[in-house]
Amino acid sequence: MGKRKRRSVTFNGEDRISNLSEHLIDSILERIPFEDAIKTSIISKKWRYKWTSMKVLTFDDDFNEKIAKNGAVDYNEYISTINQVLNLHKGPISKFVIYIPPMFLDSFQEIDEWMMLLSRNNVTKLVLTNSNRRYELPSHVFSCLGLTELILENCYFNPPLQFEGFLNLEELFLEHIDFGENLSGNQINLPQLKNLSFLECMNVQNFNIKATKMKSLIITFEDFDRVEKINSITFLSSLTRIEDFLIEGNFLKFLSAEEIPKWLPLSMNSLKRLVLQDFEVGDLDQLHVALCLLRNSPNLDTLRVHFEEPRDFVGLALDHLKAANCLDYTLKQLRTVEITCLEGLEVELLFIKLLLAHSPNLEKISITPIGRLNIRRRFAIAKHVMRLPRASPKAEIIYLNPEK
């Protein structure tokens, strides 16, 4: 019996794969690893050069691992492989994902050239993750005015003076970005921006943006030596349109450098979901800012608190939480509270008690203790929490297994 043909056919003998629509072929290529996309050229004549017109090019960490030798990426092979692909590529590039591995680079010249190519190809999504020394973004990046999503890690962000903004950008994720000292006073217009994330960035005070549609903001910092110019009250009052806000304990501490009033000039009326990440409730400074956020968010629906072990004396925070007018506000819209990394310290339990006492419409509060507590201690905490008075008669308290 002769060898069967491997090609899939329909009942009338037509080639099913070759007759797929252009849109479906493009969709398939975008969803498989890049090296596999190249291999599809052997399927049929129609597929032979399809990969050269892919709109999504992904040279991520997985791609680099496959061209690495003995665990290290060879510079020449890294550059030549991507250059070959780009030289053969035809048509627009809608999404470009590039990972710069930790290898020796005399300069970023080739990467600058790739950015120039993108600026000419109507790119709408750019993901640049850098594990090398910090990369100075070339002016070509700021010429990609069609961008809707921009993710950058470990770069210098220094746009040219004539740059006015990304008018179509909706998602902006920045990690380990240095904004230098030349941006101050130059406002960047981001009229469509909805989600903004700052993770361990430097000189953020020089990143002056106008983003009237922003709904989600994530801020995490470690070193604030160069951020002293931010006005805390102005910053908090500018978040009137934010719906989702994640703020880290370190940033809470930073905001407390200036005296935080009970009431802000403008309330955060749109805020629905608040995350207090690595929150040291025993730090009176952090506590003051956290209570300010709660007091000035009349429509807050969901609160998530991840406790951090207090590093300093907690006596002042304890006294403040025990005071009758500590919060002095009713959280009328709060429905869900999630507490994680609970150690069962008195200051933590008083904070939970405060939330229960000021949330008349609370529906659920889930509590997850830290993993290192023994069973007896976890049981004692659960018993204490269950006995806390609550303003909402329908509030359900759920005590979960500890975090590992």
Side-chain angles (χ1 to χ4, degrees), residues 278-293:
D278 299 331
F279 172 41
E280 290 185 48
V281 66
D283 184 318
L284 185 60
D285 292 333
Q286 293 190 29
L287 178 61
H288 273 314
V289 180
L291 293 176
C292 176
L293 289 172

Side-chain angles (χ1 to χ4, degrees), residues 27 76 91 141 159 176 240 257 259 277 306 347 361 372:
S27 181
N76 291 325
V141 171
H176 294 292
T240 55
E259 186 175 352
Q277 184 71 27
H306 184 280
V347 69
N361 294 303
R372 63 172 175 265

Side-chain angles (χ1 to χ4, degrees), residues 216-263:
S216 175
L217 176 62
I218 296 175
I219 300 178
T220 67
F221 287 120
E222 289 182 0
D223 185 3
F224 296 100
D225 291 343
R226 304 183 184 182
V227 198
E228 68 277 5
K229 296 180 182 179
I230 291 181
N231 183 287
S232 303
I233 298 175
T234 302
F235 170 77
L236 292 174
S237 298
S238 69
L239 305 180
T240 55
R241 294 182 177 85
I242 295 293
E243 295 181 6
D244 296 86
F245 186 25
L246 184 152
I247 184 168
E248 193 182 36
N250 282 334
F251 196 69
L252 290 172
K253 181 75 172 179
F254 165 72
L255 290 176
S256 69
E258 296 179 0
E259 186 175 352
I260 298 294
K262 277 191 173 183
W263 305 103

Side-chain angles (χ1 to χ4, degrees), residues 144-359:
C144 300
L145 299 181
L147 282 172
T148 60
E149 180 179 327
L150 180 59
I151 298 175
L152 301 172
E153 181 179 346
N154 196 28
C155 301
Y156 288 107
F157 191 98
N158 189 21
L161 292 176
Q162 65 271 24
F163 178 70
E164 296 182 355
F166 293 112
L167 302 185
N168 298 295
L169 197 64
E170 297 179 3
E171 307 275 343
L172 181 57
F173 182 95
L174 304 168
E175 183 172 2
H176 294 292
I177 302 299
D178 188 345
F179 296 98
E181 300 178 357
N182 299 322
L183 280 174
S184 185
N186 297 331
Q187 189 174 75
I188 297 175
N189 192 21
L190 305 173
Q192 301 302 321
L193 188 68
K194 296 180 176 65
N195 303 314
L196 173 61
S197 298
F198 287 115
L199 277 66
E200 312 301 337
C201 296
M202 299 175 61
N203 292 305
V204 179
Q205 73 276 8
N206 293 329
F207 188 54
N208 182 15
I209 65 171
K210 181 180 180 181
T212 58
K213 293 186 178 180
M214 190 166 61
K215 294 183 177 181
S216 175
L217 176 62
I218 296 175
I219 300 178
T220 67
F221 287 120
E222 289 182 0
D223 185 3
F224 296 100
D225 291 343
R226 304 183 184 182
V227 198
E228 68 277 5
K229 296 180 182 179
I230 291 181
N231 183 287
S232 303
I233 298 175
T234 302
F235 170 77
L236 292 174
S237 298
S238 69
L239 305 180
T240 55
R241 294 182 177 85
I242 295 293
E243 295 181 6
D244 296 86
F245 186 25
L246 184 152
I247 184 168
E248 193 182 36
N250 282 334
F251 196 69
L252 290 172
K253 181 75 172 179
F254 165 72
L255 290 176
S256 69
E258 296 179 0
E259 186 175 352
I260 298 294
K262 277 191 173 183
W263 305 103
L264 298 172
L266 295 173
S267 294
M268 300 166 66
N269 293 321
S270 296
L271 188 62
K272 301 290 183 59
R273 292 161 291 275
L274 173 64
V275 180
L276 302 177
Q277 184 71 27
D278 299 331
F279 172 41
E280 290 185 48
V281 66
D283 184 318
L284 185 60
D285 292 333
Q286 293 190 29
L287 178 61
H288 273 314
V289 180
L291 293 176
C292 176
L293 289 172
L294 293 175
R295 194 180 292 115
N296 288 273
S297 305
N299 295 304
L300 187 67
D301 174 85
T302 301
L303 173 66
R304 295 185 175 91
V305 179
H306 184 280
F307 283 127
E308 177 76 6
E309 182 179 357
R311 290 172 285 185
D312 300 313
F313 175 68
V314 302
L316 294 177
L318 276 171
D319 292 341
H320 190 70
L321 285 168
K322 290 176 181 178
N325 61 345
C326 174
L327 181 55
D328 195 23
Y329 185 74
T330 301
L331 304 170
K332 297 179 181 179
Q333 302 301 321
L334 190 61
R335 300 289 193 277
T336 304
V337 174
E338 297 178 16
I339 305 289
T340 57
C341 214
L342 178 74
E343 290 196 56
L345 302 176
E346 183 182 6
V347 69
E348 295 174 336
L349 297 174
L350 283 174
F351 185 76
I352 294 173
K353 180 181 179 181
L354 187 74
L355 294 175
L356 289 171
H358 288 77
S359 307

